[in-house]
Amino acid sequence: MTAEAEKLRRGRALPISIPWERIPWWVVILSIVGITIGWSVLTSEAYLNVIRFVMGGVRLTLHVTFISFAIALVVGLIFGLMRVTKNPVLYAVSTLYVEVMRGIPLLVIILYMGYVITPMIRDATGGRIDLQGVPAAVLGIAICYGAYLAEVYRSGIQSIERGQMEAARSLGMSYIQAMRHVILPQAIRRILPPLGNDFIAMLKDSSLIAVIALPDLLQMGRLYVSRTFRAFEGYNTVALLYLVLTLLLSLLVRTVERRTAIE
Amino acid sequence: MSELIIVVEHVYKSFGHVKAVVDFSMEVAPGEVVVIIGPSGGGKSTLLRCVNNLEPIDRGRIIVDGVSVTDAPNINEIRAEIGMVFQLFNLFPHLRALENITLAQRIVRKRSQEEAEAIAREQLAKVGIPEKWDSYPSQLSGGQQQRVAIARALAMNPKIMLFDEPTSALDPEMIKGVLDVMLDLAKEGMTMVVVSHEMGFVKAAADRVIIMDYGSIVEEDTPEELFTAPKEERTRQFLSQILH
């Protein structure tokens, strides 16, 4: 069939063609469910009370997530680069870091930071450096996720064809210049999906900082429940707010992916 | 004979148990076009990559423009003088054609953005695709990509150009455009070492042909001599296969 005839046939059947297959159905379904739940929540005094109570926790959760992720991105990049060098010392150090940090549960790292490292540093510096509270939590999450991200960076760098480094070096670029201008820009575009994945996972894992008594979203929810014994509304709200936050992050990640894609 | 620009002396290179280059020696004078042909797996590409130290050699000596490649204090300075064109082009896919050509000029040659761009446009015009400056490599045909890659190498004002099977990944109708660019370059007096089986190019441009197999030279002569009166039986065999 010619293209002309095809157009005619389609045109007769459907005057305005709607690209059904292009509609993000998951967003549509989620929006409908979300609006329904949101409506019933926002019109109920019981839920509004919880939301008001935990709002400060949302702010802390976001604060900790964003700062931790920013640090983890840098730490991961540094150790990821060390994992692909030929220098045996840098390779050994980075591998040790990755294996150790990956092998310890984040909950344990946070407790360790809060109750072992922080007092140790405070004593050693005579109280001048005190990580008590949010800094300890942020560092704990960042060094743990730094190990995961190091592996993400490494896989991204190693996925770039060997010819790219060779072409860059053949033009007289140093290893570092080639890495910076040729390899990393390509590698980072390629690892955006797993990076976004870890970003969202980190937001959820930030709930673990409740164990060192930081008033994040989860901790505030627990506090509300223990005060009012309204576990149903309390934990519903906490779960819903985490979901809203992760969905927003997911949209953010998609936007970044689309913006940086090579046409 | 004027001063030699490339001297390769008794070079050996192995990959594990595979001996890629065995006791290979050659000399190239400025302005000379040397074409290396031979069966695949014979070490041609490896040898070429040894010249700019992309493959460090095991033994021997390679001197380019008076400087030893193997123990140069700054290999990047030497590499900037040696343009290289690859079989699979190896353009930077995240950069437009123009940026592909300006990048190394700016960070290696330390040229300003304006100067680098002017040179890039000039080189793109020279390889015949000035209108493609804002295309990404994925939007270009294989032949166009290879021409951008040649422009990228030439923009560094190299003294030597190495071509590693520049047309073997191209569709037949794309080959001529690339070969024409190479022929022009040879006519301008560029020193070229080319690994290629394009007999048209060899006959038109080569000053010397080296037949290489099992990592060493089988025979070396002018194209006329080699194609009409090969001395070695191995040469005759190989030529009968590629000349049909």
Side-chain angles (χ1 to χ4, degrees), chain B residues 25 45 51-52 64 67 92 124 127 159 173 189 196 206 208 210 214:
Chain B
S25 300
S45 291
V51 173
N52 64 356
V64 172
V67 185
F92 307 135
L124 275 176
V127 298
K159 292 178 179 152
E173 72 270 25
S196 176
R208 200 145 44 94
I210 293 174
Y214 298 112

Side-chain angles (χ1 to χ4, degrees), chain A residues 38-57:
Chain A
W39 181 255
S40 57
V41 164
L42 290 175
T43 51
S44 139
E45 192 57 31
Y47 279 108
L48 282 175
N49 278 337
V50 195
I51 291 178
R52 265 183 230 120
F53 189 82
V54 300
M55 229 33 208

Side-chain angles (χ1 to χ4, degrees), chain B residues 69-233:
Chain B
V69 167
T70 36
D71 42 42
N74 187 353
I75 183 66
N76 299 324
E77 276 174 22
I78 302 175
R79 285 202 184 121
E81 305 294 335
I82 309 174
M84 186 157 194
V85 176
F86 300 86
Q87 184 177 2
L88 298 174
F89 332 131
N90 297 350
L91 287 182
F92 307 135
H94 61 300
L95 300 178
R96 295 169 194 275
L98 195 79
E99 297 162 329
N100 260 281
I101 306 173
T102 55
L103 180 65
Q105 290 190 65
R106 287 191 291 112
I107 62 181
V108 178
R109 290 285 194 224
K110 312 274 183 228
R111 290 173 187 155
S112 69
Q113 179 69 36
E114 296 76 47
E115 192 188 356
E117 266 185 31
I119 294 171
R121 283 177 196 279
E122 197 181 299
Q123 292 299 341
L124 275 176
K126 196 173 157 188
V127 298
I129 44 171
E131 74 284 3
K132 295 294 182 190
W133 64 273
D134 70 339
S135 300
Y136 283 98
S138 59
Q139 299 165 325
L140 299 172
S141 73
Q144 290 168 340
Q145 288 190 54
Q146 192 61 296
R147 283 192 265 175
V148 173
I150 294 173
R152 176 175 72 178
L154 289 176
M156 300 294 285
N157 304 112
K159 292 178 179 152
I160 302 162
M161 286 286 286
L162 307 176
F163 290 84
D164 187 4
E165 306 203 31
T167 55
S168 39
L170 296 179
D171 290 335
E173 72 270 25
M174 301 289 170
I175 291 176
K176 189 175 175 298
V178 171
L179 288 183
D180 285 346
V181 171
M182 291 170 64
L183 276 172
D184 286 346
L185 209 52
K187 273 185 209 131
E188 284 169 24
M190 173 64 78
T191 309
M192 296 163 69
V193 181
V194 183
V195 172
S196 176
H197 289 161
E198 292 298 336
M199 284 307 135
F201 175 80
V202 174
K203 283 172 185 158
D207 297 309
R208 200 145 44 94
V209 179
I210 293 174
I211 299 203
M212 187 173 179
D213 195 9
Y214 298 112
S216 28
I217 295 177
V218 176
E219 195 169 345
E220 176 179 0
D221 216 328
T222 59
E224 300 79 44
E225 284 294 317
L226 203 72
F227 292 146
T228 51
K231 294 179 194 73
E232 302 290 328
E233 177 54 32

